[in-house]
């Protein structure tokens, strides 16, 4: 049964409660896949990636430093590997290499390569403290980019890990000659070029071009006034989708440096955005517990799914969501979502007070 369910799913999400969630957009259904009976904050999912190009296995990075493998064919967890320690901080990124090696990056800056048969990393380098994100190049898979708080963009070649192949220079001082702080929150490699785009905690989007001698951004765009937390590149190129801590999502033009439009529907901080690899759609998730899917053509909200837990990360399958509607007509059994976490229960049990009641009570007092 679990295998049937997991094969239907076109979106995968990792939650703060440690549950892997699969969503079938065509069936409008959500499923929970959980490794243990007892959920704890140690299992909070911080990173997700595909283990291979066929997308039959997911890699799930948890707060406790373990990476679990989940088979989407079987609908079951098949392996757990220890890839770091709680003391390293949470995973800032997770990636798979072609020879089934694994790349992890922790907040402390430890960027490590793990081979399947070895319990120690086969390579380790220091990406600097307070790393917020590590991302892999989709084309040159041995290339990764890192960045974080007061830790500018660096690009690494894992086959030559001695030093970064590109290190961004500090931004130019502002018009008052004050130093402008660095805070890279997310990063992506722009296809068919050497350029890399980042978004920052100071609501800027920067493009860097390592093929030029220029080590500062070749383009800078600002969006809104809140920290940007996530970005993703649509398949069509020349735009980037960014999200911030107030649930605002925008489509920015990478050539002209202007805002093309906004996507509405999110309420909490955006934790991750993913554009579909070939379709004009973007999925987003975050602290409001909803998965939102928008069309990039007309910017309309296509799906909004409530998933009960705060969501940290998501992945889309590259096949089209519609293809996954199963031929049989009968409905699968009703899915019981996980029990809400302890803090959620407290909120649920609190009585709701309307403004009208508050005014009435005040009048009585007066």
């Amino acid at each position: 049964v679990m295998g049937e369910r997991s094969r239907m799913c076109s979106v995968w999400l990792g939650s703060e409660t440690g549950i892997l969630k699969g969503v079938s957009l065509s069936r409008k259904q959500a499923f929970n896949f959980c490794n243990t009976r007892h959920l704890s904050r140690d299992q909070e999912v911080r990173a997700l990636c595909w283990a291979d190009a066929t997308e039959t296995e997911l890699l799930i990075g948890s707060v406790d430093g373990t990476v679990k493998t989940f088979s989407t064919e079987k609908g079951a967890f098949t392996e757990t590997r220890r890839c770091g320690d709680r003391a390293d901080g949470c995973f800032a990124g997770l990636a798979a290499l072609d020879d089934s090696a694994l790349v992890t990056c922790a907040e402390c800056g430890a960027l490590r390569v793990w081979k399947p048969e070895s319990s120690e990393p086969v390579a380790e380098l220091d990406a600097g403290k307070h790393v917020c994100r590590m991302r892999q190049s989709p084309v040159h898979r041995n290339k990764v980019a890192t960045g974080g708080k007061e830790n500018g963009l660096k690009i690494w070649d894992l086959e030559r890990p001695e030093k970064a192949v590109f290190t961004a220079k500090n931004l130019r001082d502002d018009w008052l000659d004050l130093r402008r702080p660095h805070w890279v929150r997310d990063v992506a490699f722009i296809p068919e070029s050497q350029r890399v785009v980042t978004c920052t905690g100071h609501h800027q989007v920067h493009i860097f071009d390592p093929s030029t001698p220029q080590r500062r951004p070749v383009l800078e765009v600002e969006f809104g006034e809140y920290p940007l937390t996530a970005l993703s590149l649509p398949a069509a190129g020349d735009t980037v989708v960014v999200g911030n801590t107030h649930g605002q999502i925008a489509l920015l033009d990478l050539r002209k440096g202007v805002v093309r439009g906004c996507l509405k529907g999110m309420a909490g901080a955006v934790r991750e955005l993913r554009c579909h690899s070939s379709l004009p759609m973007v999925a987003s998730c975050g602290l409001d517990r909803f998965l939102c899917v928008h069309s990039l053509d007309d910017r309309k909200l296509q799906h909004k799914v409530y998933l009960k837990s705060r969501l940290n990360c998501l992945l889309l399958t590259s096949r089209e969501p519609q293809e996954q509607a199963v031929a049989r007509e009968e409905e699968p059994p009703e899915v019981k979502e996980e029990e809400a976490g302890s803090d959620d229960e407290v909120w649920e049990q609190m009585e709701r007070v309307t403004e009208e009641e508050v005014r009435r009570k005040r009048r009585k007092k007066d």
Side-chain angles (χ1 to χ4, degrees):
V1 174
M2 290 319 261
E4 273 175 40
R5 288 177 184 174
S6 65
R7 286 194 291 274
M8 285 195 289
C9 297
S10 49
V11 189
W12 292 94
L13 303 102
S15 73
E16 274 191 3
T17 43
I19 289 177
L20 175 69
K21 290 167 179 283
V23 176
S24 163
L25 294 178
S26 55
R27 284 281 190 97
K28 296 192 168 25
Q29 282 189 304
F31 306 99
N32 282 323
F33 298 92
C34 185
N35 201 22
T36 55
R37 290 227 133 40
H38 308 289
L39 287 171
S40 73
R41 288 282 177 206
D42 283 355
Q43 285 152 17
E44 178 178 343
V45 181
R46 274 307 184 93
L48 284 177
C49 76
W50 294 113
D52 55 357
T54 59
E55 298 181 0
T56 54
E57 285 188 327
L58 279 167
L59 297 173
I60 298 141
S62 306
V63 165
D64 61 2
T66 58
V67 175
K68 300 184 187 76
T69 307
F70 177 83
S71 162
T72 55
E73 296 287 299
K74 299 174 187 153
F77 291 87
T78 54
E79 194 188 349
T80 301
R81 290 163 68 176
R82 177 149 293 289
C83 294
D85 206 278
R86 269 211 86 119
D88 297 339
C90 299
F91 285 120
L94 191 59
L97 297 176
D98 297 331
D99 53 359
S100 64
L102 190 59
V103 186
T104 62
C105 183
E107 285 172 331
C108 68
L111 180 55
R112 302 178 175 120
V113 182
W114 308 83
K115 284 270 164 62
E117 58 285 345
S118 136
S119 60
E120 292 297 310
V122 292
E124 181 165 353
L125 51 96
D126 180 12
K129 287 191 174 62
H130 309 301
V131 175
C132 293
R133 196 75 93 180
M134 182 242 353
R135 293 280 192 203
Q136 181 182 35
S137 161
V139 182
H140 307 288
R141 299 183 69 79
N142 55 319
K143 263 195 182 161
V144 297
T146 59
K149 194 160 192 175
E150 291 305 344
N151 183 349
L153 169 72
K154 296 183 186 74
I155 301 173
W156 306 88
D157 181 344
L158 297 173
E159 290 176 354
R160 295 193 293 279
E162 301 75 50
K163 70 191 262 284
V165 292
F166 175 83
T167 305
K169 221 173 174 172
N170 276 351
L171 302 172
R172 289 188 195 285
D173 294 348
D174 67 11
W175 57 280
L176 289 171
D177 288 340
L178 296 175
R179 182 183 166 276
R180 290 165 69 202
H182 259 299
W183 189 5
V184 178
R185 294 291 297 264
D186 203 351
V187 52
F189 289 84
I190 298 176
E192 292 167 30
S193 77
Q194 290 199 29
R195 294 176 308 152
V196 172
V197 58
T198 66
C199 65
T200 76
H202 305 293
H203 57 90
Q204 309 140 329
V205 173
H206 291 138
I207 294 182
F208 295 88
D209 191 347
S211 67
T212 66
Q214 166 85 311
R215 284 177 33 222
R216 286 194 172 103
V218 293
L219 179 79
E220 177 169 345
V221 195
E222 294 207 345
F223 168 67
E225 51 203 82
Y226 302 110
L228 295 175
T229 49
L231 63 78
S232 185
L233 295 166
D238 73 28
T239 55
V240 61
V241 185
V242 295
N244 68 17
T245 53
H246 278 55
Q248 296 167 329
I249 302 175
L251 194 58
L252 306 183
D253 189 307
L254 288 177
R255 287 180 296 201
K256 301 193 182 87
V258 292
V259 178
R260 285 252 191 106
C262 294
L263 310 176
K264 304 213 165 31
M266 289 282 283
V270 179
R271 280 278 172 89
E272 185 147 39
L273 293 167
R274 293 269 186 174
C275 293
H276 193 275
S277 56
S278 56
L279 301 171
M281 61 184 259
V282 60
S284 54
C285 70
L287 300 191
D288 66 356
R289 298 170 160 83
F290 281 96
L291 158 70
C292 291
V293 179
H294 286 86
S295 158
L296 290 172
D297 286 339
D298 56 13
R299 301 199 286 278
K300 285 201 167 71
L301 182 63
Q302 292 178 327
H303 301 274
K304 189 167 182 177
V305 188
Y306 182 65
L307 291 167
K308 283 193 178 175
S309 318
R310 305 210 301 179
L311 304 163
N312 285 333
C313 44
L314 74 96
L315 265 188
L316 292 174
T317 57
S318 54
R319 55 189 192 274
E320 297 192 18
Q322 286 72 17
E323 290 175 2
Q324 293 166 336
V326 182
R328 288 172 305 139
E329 283 306 301
E330 82 237 29
E331 278 298 297
E334 197 44 49
V335 183
K336 185 176 177 298
E337 279 269 22
E338 88 277 12
E339 295 310 307
S342 52
D343 50 345
D344 300 4
E345 277 164 15
V346 174
W347 289 111
E348 291 303 324
Q349 286 157 10
M350 277 187 181
E351 54 177 320
R352 285 177 173 62
V353 182
T354 63
E355 280 188 25
E356 189 49 48
E357 285 169 18
V358 174
R359 282 196 206 102
R360 249 203 322 267
K361 280 179 185 162
R362 271 198 198 131
R363 276 193 221 111
K364 271 187 190 164
K365 266 189 192 163
D366 297 345

